[in-house]
Amino acid sequence: MASAPSAQRLPQPASLAGVAEPGGFDVLDNFDVLNNFAAPTGLDPQLERFLHQASSLLCRWLGEAEACPPLPALSVLPDVEPEQQGLPPQRLLSDLQLVMEGAFNPNHPGALAHLDPPPLAASIAADLICAGLNNNLLAEELSPSLTRLERSLCSWLAQGLGLGAEAGGVAASGGSLSNLMALVTARRSRGLGCRADAVVLCSADAHVSFDKAMAVMGLPADALQRLPVDDQGELQVAALAERLNQLTAAGIPVLAVVATAGTTVRGAIDPLPAIAALCRRHNLWLHVDGAIGAVFALAPTQRQLLRGLELADSITVNPQKLLGITKTSSLLLLADPQQLQLAFATGLPYMEPSWGAAHGGESGLQGSRPAEILKLWLGLRQLGLAGIAALVEGAIERRRQLATLLATDDRLQLLGGPLHLLAFRPRELDAEACVAWSSSTRQALLAEQLMLSRPWYHGRHHLKAVLGNPHTQTSHLERLARIVLENLPHG
Ligand SMILES: *Cc1c(COP(=O)(O)O)cnc(C)c1O
């Protein structure tokens, strides 16, 4: 069946393919459907051509990035519903092209709005291979080499971040999921699974994914207690100490303390050593949301920024946010990875027993999941430690450059931490005026192919630049600063 000679596997014109002929050809003819799968009997020239053409399309799209705006205008979408007969590769590719024309364009040097950098070449290739392998991290027999790769790379990274010789973790489809799994694991480890009054402590600037986690965990929204930050955007340790004493006195259990290493608007890093010391004293689980900041610890020159990271019980890391690993790429790393299995193991009665620590599907919330580890592994190997360091150092350097350019006008209030994020707004504007200023300045920037975001932060809209795009040059930053300064309200 699948061994049909390749000449017969040529895509047929849509008008002919599989059309039922009276008294003859069956629309459900097995051969027709098989045409769409790679032949298992030797290199399939149809598949090879299709993939070549698709990757050419992609390479052209990436290569034309600078000629297109970072944020495209509204585009035409191809038909969404499948037609009665399947489409040939040329139609599929031209439909794909239409979707690509409307896609956000992260490879543009002016794409500076979000934590969504250009994709790394090895990561793109690995994503393709991952799709083709179609393995499943649910169970070892569905992903033998990839399960071991995930386990090994998680251990390497967790140990590299200082979590100790036994450390390890699991890949998750995004930081929100890593954060949720961390809290579920923490709750289990503290025996608080049945306590509806347990609370989580974090800063006012902690990520919104923790609000979702409360809802998923069946806790009231106010179980997430947000404590004030100082003028650097860092959790106030004195406020944490005081709240912990109050909770202890009231007999209210603390499920975990969350410190953020790299807040989403300004890239602030909470004082990890002091927070960890409080957690030790109260015997509390410390989760560090390092979705943005943890990768900086991989660069020897930046490591001191993350001092105290090694004291965490769990860390969320999102290589998708700066290193160019294609989405999604997030890891939850733990000093004691067995805690994950205590929280999530169910037994997988329809699988052979695990020959390693545990099946992937018993080490986290997800069941079937792709081998997202492959693009992280290959990407890190392509970059090398020197490349990783160059990326994070370059990002910090661009933030410094932009801050220096904007600081020439003291009407601007800059909010930047030690990382690669810089938020700002006019010092004297009230909330309403900030809406108008941020919208019109963003539009002026977009007209020059520079894209910033417009976060709402502490009662005002700001503009925010994320300087993680390695294509961004000093000249782009100078143009950006000029437009921002020209658009400042007078007076
Ligand atoms: C982005 C982000 C997250 C969530 O990660 P997703 O991959 O978008 O789910 C969590 N914490 C922080 C600090 C983030 O910036």
Side-chain angles (χ1 to χ4, degrees):
M1 295 189 291
S3 63
S6 59
Q8 285 178 264
R9 296 176 57 82
L10 280 172
Q12 304 163 28
S15 57
L16 295 180
V19 173
E21 287 170 16
F25 193 52
D26 177 3
V27 282
L28 294 178
D29 186 289
N30 198 21
F31 169 73
D32 254 10
V33 177
L34 271 189
N35 231 349
N36 301 321
F37 292 84
T41 47
L43 188 133
D44 184 332
Q46 310 305 324
L47 173 71
E48 196 178 29
R49 182 165 340 129
F50 190 20
L51 293 186
H52 271 150
Q53 289 172 334
S55 44
S56 295
L57 210 63
L58 178 64
C59 292
R60 259 204 311 278
W61 183 79
L62 289 165
E64 286 165 0
E66 195 163 344
C68 308
L71 185 61
L74 216 55
S75 70
V76 180
L77 271 190
D79 291 340
V80 292
E81 71 278 17
E83 295 179 12
Q84 183 56 34
Q85 303 305 327
L87 300 177
Q90 287 318 316
R91 275 286 308 281
L92 298 177
L93 292 169
S94 57
D95 283 1
L96 268 177
Q97 178 69 40
L98 283 180
V99 178
M100 291 163 76
E101 280 164 14
F104 166 67
N105 181 9
N107 213 33
H108 192 290
L112 298 167
H114 297 285
L115 294 142
D116 290 75
L120 190 64
S123 192
I124 299 173
D127 230 349
L128 174 68
I129 303 292
C130 179
L133 295 177
N134 205 18
N135 275 215
N136 189 343
L137 266 285
L138 171 69
E140 286 160 358
E141 63 185 356
L142 293 173
S143 53
S145 58
L146 294 160
T147 290
R148 278 187 291 138
L149 188 70
E150 178 175 295
R151 220 174 262 150
S152 305
L153 189 62
C154 285
S155 295
W156 174 78
L157 205 58
Q159 288 166 21
L161 297 183
L163 291 184
E166 303 302 316
V170 68
S173 295
S176 301
L177 191 50
S178 294
N179 283 339
L180 169 63
M181 295 195 305
L183 294 189
V184 171
T185 305
R187 177 162 76 174
R188 167 68 181 67
S189 89
R190 292 300 185 267
L192 294 172
C194 301
R195 291 289 294 261
D197 59 343
V199 299
V200 173
L201 301 178
C202 65
S203 91
D205 289 1
H207 193 257
V208 292
S209 52
F210 294 106
D211 295 305
K212 286 191 196 172
M214 295 304 103
V216 175
M217 293 169 75
L219 294 170
D222 60 7
L224 187 70
Q225 299 197 357
R226 293 179 176 270
L227 299 166
V229 295
D230 63 16
D231 57 8
Q232 302 300 307
E234 299 172 15
L235 173 65
Q236 291 184 21
V237 176
L240 176 62
E242 189 187 334
R243 182 64 58 89
L244 286 173
N245 289 335
Q246 290 165 353
L247 292 168
T248 305
I252 296 173
V254 176
L255 190 160
V257 172
V258 172
T260 305
T263 55
T264 309
V265 173
R266 57 195 294 181
I269 299 175
D270 288 340
L272 303 178
I275 295 172
L278 282 172
C279 289
R280 285 279 147 91
R281 189 169 324 143
H282 290 264
N283 187 30
L284 298 175
W285 184 285
L286 172 59
H287 174 63
V288 176
D289 180 2
I292 295 174
V295 295
F296 287 83
L298 299 176
T301 55
Q302 308 304 319
R303 211 185 158 106
Q304 84 287 351
L305 290 175
L306 280 301
R307 218 163 31 87
L309 189 63
E310 68 283 355
L311 303 171
D313 294 288
S314 57
I315 305 174
T316 291
V317 188
N318 265 27
Q320 72 193 25
K321 287 199 164 175
L322 176 57
L323 300 180
I325 310 302
T326 53
K327 282 176 275 291
T328 49
S329 180
S330 177
L331 303 175
L332 175 62
L333 304 176
L334 297 93
D336 176 8
Q338 284 179 9
Q339 295 294 329
L340 276 176
Q341 284 112 46
L342 292 174
F344 294 107
T346 53
L348 286 178
Y350 28 82
M351 293 291 169
E352 288 299 307
S354 160
W355 57 75
H359 285 303
E362 295 193 274
S363 305
L365 197 53
Q366 289 174 274
S368 292
R369 60 189 170 91
E372 294 182 289
I373 203 69
L374 198 65
K375 60 202 175 186
L376 175 58
W377 164 72
L378 206 66
L380 295 181
R381 300 270 293 171
Q382 182 178 42
L383 286 171
L385 296 174
I388 296 169
L391 270 183
V392 305
E393 287 163 9
I396 290 180
E397 180 52 32
R398 286 187 294 276
R399 189 263 304 153
R400 282 207 189 100
Q401 280 187 20
L402 183 60
T404 304
L405 290 164
L406 294 179
T408 56
D409 195 317
D410 65 9
R411 284 174 296 172
L412 275 177
Q413 166 100 49
L414 305 186
L415 301 177
L419 303 182
H420 64 305
L421 286 79
L422 185 65
F424 54 89
R425 68 173 170 85
R427 228 178 265 286
E428 307 296 344
L429 291 194
D430 64 18
E432 200 177 325
C434 273
V435 175
W437 161 79
S438 59
S439 310
S440 64
T441 308
R442 182 171 134 111
Q443 283 313 316
L445 289 164
L446 280 173
E448 298 272 335
Q449 312 223 327
L450 295 162
M451 181 178 173
L452 298 194
S453 56
R454 216 166 58 83
W456 167 261
Y457 179 74
H458 291 214
R460 299 269 195 291
H461 277 93
H462 290 65
L463 285 175
K464 177 176 97 167
V466 180
L467 286 313
N469 187 334
H471 297 312
T472 309
Q473 307 281 321
T474 302
S475 57
H476 297 108
L477 299 179
E478 287 170 347
R479 194 147 49 93
L480 194 161
R482 178 175 52 72
I483 296 167
V484 168
L485 298 179
E486 282 171 6
N487 280 272
L488 277 178
H490 294 283

